Amino acid sequence: MIEEITAVSQQTTASSEEIASSMEEQAAASNESAQYTQQFTQLITDLEHMLGEFQIKN
């Protein structure tokens, strides 16, 4: 009986560690996505500014 409880406890611990690892990977991916979004937003802003200057000059 104690061996079964120990085995279940070990499985639960392993599952918890796997979940924590997956959450860390997801957080890292979310941060990377946020950085790309910020860069994309800055590029769009720069493009809008350049287009505005182009229209004024022409």
Side-chain angles (χ1 to χ4, degrees), residues 1 7 15 17 20 30-31 34 37-38 40 42-44 48-49 58:
M1 177 79 168
S15 294
E17 290 173 353
S30 293
N31 288 337
T37 300
Q38 289 174 343
F40 181 69
Q42 184 61 49
L43 289 171
I44 295 296
E48 288 174 342
H49 181 72
N58 290 327

Side-chain angles (χ1 to χ4, degrees), residues 44-57:
I44 295 296
T45 301
D46 293 347
L47 178 61
E48 288 174 342
H49 181 72
M50 289 179 183
L51 287 174
E53 287 182 6
F54 178 77
Q55 290 173 355
I56 291 171
K57 290 180 181 177

Side-chain angles (χ1 to χ4, degrees), residues 23-44:
M23 290 176 68
E24 288 175 3
E25 289 176 9
Q26 184 177 10
S30 293
N31 288 337
E32 186 176 358
S33 177
Q35 290 175 352
Y36 284 126
T37 300
Q38 289 174 343
Q39 291 173 353
F40 181 69
T41 301
Q42 184 61 49
L43 289 171
I44 295 296

Side-chain angles (χ1 to χ4, degrees), residues 3-35:
E3 290 92 13
E4 292 174 9
I5 293 172
T6 301
V8 169
S9 177
Q10 290 173 343
Q11 289 174 348
T12 302
T13 300
S15 294
S16 296
E17 290 173 353
E18 188 175 337
I19 290 168
S21 177
S22 294
M23 290 176 68
E24 288 175 3
E25 289 176 9
Q26 184 177 10
S30 293
N31 288 337
E32 186 176 358
S33 177
Q35 290 175 352

